[in-house]
Amino acid sequence: MKIFQKLSNPFVVFVERYYPDAFVFVILLTLITFGLAVSFTDSTPIDAVQAWGNGLTALLSFMTQICIILFTAHALAHTDLMQNLLSKVAKIPKTPTQAYVLVALVAALSNLIAWSLGLIVGAIIARQVAIEADRKGLKIHYPLLVATAYAGFVVWHMGYSSSSALFVATDGHILEDKIGVIPVTATIFTTWNMLIAAVTIIGIAIICPLMQPNEKDIIQVKAKDLLKSLSKEEEVSISKKTIGDKLNHSRLLTIIFGLILLVYLIKWFGEKGFNLDLNIVNWTFLALGLLLARSPLHYVQLVKNAGSTLGPILLQFPFYAGIMGLMKDTGLVVLMSDYFTKVATASTLSFWAFISSGIVNMFVPSGGGQWVIQGPIFIAAAENLNVNPNVIVMGVAYGDQWTNMIQPFWTIPLLAIAGLDMRKIMGYTFIILLFTMLVYGGGLLILGHSENLGSYQKYFEKDKALERRFQKV
């Protein structure tokens, strides 16, 4: 089937010719947002600049959480056990098609555990599969292989680290007076969400091998070149002559500290049930990384090796926070979201939440940040149209993960490991964008017409305290 190969070619050419670097991308987005705010709202240019400036620091605490989840995931993925496991898995494929399918499945399943782990593991497995393929003489198009790894990122909101779902599952969130605390069992772990995720993953595993270019256009990397480009761990002193040296290299210390964290997590889940938030995800990866590290010094080295993935993200995050502040304070995001809620019906509201969120994600690639500015608008519409809020939460989540396929920001940590330029992979992920639009949009429209999910009011009948609150509104 060469249809996907032909379909992907124009997008590959377009991205290679016209897509700028991720940092230039955010600068251009900022200028576009300024223009839209001044043109379509009552804000003056000075008002827009002030809104942008005020927003620069809005996500600093969230940035800290993002950095922790990235370096703990990076460290965990590079522990000896994980590296050996991924190396063994990478030897499984016997054909090019099997190679793409394996990378798609490993990356997607890792993203369901956590988006940060998915990006890191996806890059590692793509690199290892390429090494093994070269050794076996298999013709693998390395940019497509890495694009396949990034395609797994399109399901991250359906799993363990979903920002929107974790946000509404946390006590004290900004919409608690409207929808209460929604457990992840009512969002992430619903049958319909897991079914849509399964269809998406299977689709990616089928489509990506079909996009491989003709043999003359295949870019195949040599195993020796990839092995050379791998970042080497800095040599650490192995001297154990002093007490300090022995403590530095004592695995017992990391095991003890990891077990303390593990006990805390067990107690957390024992008291609160399967109630997740971003901090708990972070401490889970920290605990596992410590338990698997060789020593405290080894874990510090693993964290230091993650530095190359963090720098560009730290640079760009304040600019995206500024865009978020600009869209929020000038009323641009309300104007945009209001348009979609006005054209929506009870059966299509979740679909329009998905489309609206996908557009906003291009300007604010942060699941938590998006929910803060879009959640209140769509939940108010859900109340007015008598729509179950759980589906709206996931509609916004689907939109956020959907347009990541053409938003270069989150390619940074993956490409730092894979050793590729963003323009080499994003033409292929345009096709994944089109495919997932059909899956997510179609799935949400089917859900919208289903009476089995219940209405906004029926949702509150599950909790009498919330039901009384609903009656007071």
Side-chain angles (χ1 to χ4, degrees):
M1 290 180 65
K2 293 189 175 182
I3 183 171
F4 287 102
Q5 181 191 114
K6 292 179 179 179
L7 191 60
S8 64
N9 285 339
F11 293 109
V12 171
V13 172
F14 169 76
V15 170
E16 288 187 349
R17 288 183 181 177
Y18 300 110
Y19 247 56
D21 178 78
F23 184 51
V24 177
F25 196 87
V26 70
I27 293 174
L28 294 176
L29 284 177
T30 302
L31 296 176
I32 291 170
T33 311
F34 270 117
L36 292 173
V38 173
S39 300
F40 294 101
T41 72
D42 295 332
S43 303
T44 65
I46 296 298
D47 293 334
V49 170
Q50 184 173 6
W52 176 78
N54 291 340
L56 290 173
T57 58
L59 294 177
L60 289 182
S61 60
F62 185 61
M63 281 173 58
T64 302
Q65 291 177 311
I66 294 300
C67 286
I68 292 173
I69 200 171
L70 275 172
F71 77 67
T72 54
H74 193 284
L76 175 60
H78 284 83
T79 56
D80 295 337
L81 178 65
M82 290 293 292
Q83 287 287 290
N84 292 336
L85 177 62
L86 291 172
S87 294
K88 288 179 181 178
V89 171
K91 294 177 181 178
I92 294 174
K94 300 292 189 295
T95 66
T97 296
Q98 290 177 8
Y100 294 115
V101 170
L102 176 73
V103 170
L105 295 178
V106 171
L109 293 175
S110 299
N111 272 286
L112 288 177
I113 297 172
W115 63 266
S116 53
L117 187 67
L119 289 174
I120 304 303
V121 168
I124 294 173
I125 194 66
R127 189 180 65 194
Q128 290 300 122
V129 166
I131 290 171
E132 294 299 328
D134 182 58
R135 289 170 176 168
K136 294 175 182 177
L138 300 179
K139 291 283 187 180
I140 302 289
H141 188 53
Y142 188 55
L144 176 58
L145 195 67
V146 176
T148 303
Y150 186 63
F153 190 46
V154 81
V155 299
W156 78 269
H157 254 304
M158 297 159 138
Y160 185 68
S161 64
S162 173
S163 294
S164 299
L166 295 182
F167 194 92
V168 297
T170 304
D171 289 333
H173 68 85
I174 59 171
L175 291 174
E176 186 175 0
D177 63 325
K178 288 284 186 184
I179 59 175
V181 175
I182 301 177
V184 291
T185 51
T187 51
I188 300 170
F189 295 103
T190 54
T191 302
W192 52 266
N193 178 62
M194 291 189 286
L195 180 60
I196 294 173
V199 171
T200 303
I201 294 169
I202 293 169
I204 291 171
I206 293 172
I207 291 171
C208 286
L210 297 176
M211 289 192 286
Q212 175 153 307
N214 296 321
E215 189 169 337
K216 64 182 179 64
D217 296 320
I218 287 178
I219 299 174
Q220 186 171 12
V221 292
K222 297 293 183 182
K224 61 179 182 179
D225 295 332
L226 277 178
L227 290 169
K228 263 185 205 177
S229 67
L230 298 183
S231 58
K232 305 287 186 185
E233 287 189 6
E234 293 180 15
E235 294 294 328
V236 295
S237 171
I238 58 173
S239 171
K240 297 183 181 179
K241 294 180 181 179
T242 68
I243 293 176
D245 290 333
K246 291 179 180 179
L247 290 174
N248 286 342
H249 295 279
S250 171
R251 187 167 192 180
L252 181 62
L253 286 180
T254 54
I255 290 175
I256 290 173
F257 197 35
L259 287 174
I260 291 172
L261 265 175
L262 196 60
V263 169
Y264 168 75
L265 292 170
I266 292 171
K267 188 172 186 300
W268 168 276
F269 290 120
E271 291 177 353
K272 299 180 182 291
F274 203 59
N275 186 15
L276 305 176
D277 60 30
L278 192 54
N279 291 325
I280 293 301
V281 175
N282 284 342
W283 307 146
T284 301
F285 288 136
L286 179 58
L288 292 174
L290 288 168
L291 289 170
L292 295 178
R294 297 177 213 149
S295 66
L297 212 58
H298 179 233
Y299 191 75
V300 169
Q301 186 59 54
L302 292 176
V303 171
K304 286 173 67 177
N305 292 340
S308 62
T309 69
L310 298 179
I313 289 175
L314 286 173
L315 171 64
Q316 293 178 46
F317 227 104
F319 288 92
Y320 280 111
I323 292 175
M324 186 179 82
L326 177 57
M327 295 182 75
K328 182 181 177 183
D329 290 352
T330 61
L332 184 61
V333 72
V334 173
L335 191 69
M336 183 185 302
S337 299
D338 275 350
Y339 170 78
F340 289 108
T341 58
K342 285 175 182 176
V343 300
T345 63
S347 57
T348 63
L349 182 62
S350 59
F351 171 79
W352 290 118
F354 157 67
I355 296 295
S356 173
S357 178
I359 295 171
V360 173
N361 180 61
M362 293 297 295
F363 298 88
V364 187
S366 161
Q370 272 190 253
W371 180 253
V372 168
I373 57 179
Q374 286 192 284
I377 300 166
F378 279 98
I379 289 300
E383 184 179 0
N384 292 334
L385 294 171
N386 198 25
V387 176
N388 191 318
N390 303 355
V391 186
I392 302 305
V393 171
M394 295 311 293
V396 173
Y398 290 179
D400 175 71
Q401 65 188 10
W402 171 49
T403 48
N404 282 328
M405 293 299 96
I406 57 172
Q407 220 298 356
F409 180 68
W410 292 115
T411 64
I412 294 169
L414 179 137
L415 294 175
I417 295 172
L420 273 183
D421 183 83
M422 170 269 298
R423 286 175 292 185
K424 293 294 183 183
I425 73 165
M426 199 147 273
Y428 298 109
T429 57
F430 262 86
I431 303 302
I432 303 302
L433 176 92
L434 298 176
F435 165 68
T436 49
M437 179 180 180
L438 296 176
V439 176
Y440 297 155
L444 289 169
L445 287 172
I446 292 171
L447 287 170
H449 287 84
S450 171
E451 296 180 358
N452 295 326
L453 289 174
S455 65
Y456 192 91
Q457 189 165 8
K458 285 181 181 178
Y459 164 77
F460 281 98
E461 289 172 357
K462 297 175 184 177
D463 185 307
K464 293 192 180 294
L466 290 176
E467 183 182 4
R468 288 195 296 271
R469 186 182 301 163
F470 176 80
Q471 291 170 348
K472 290 178 182 178
V473 174

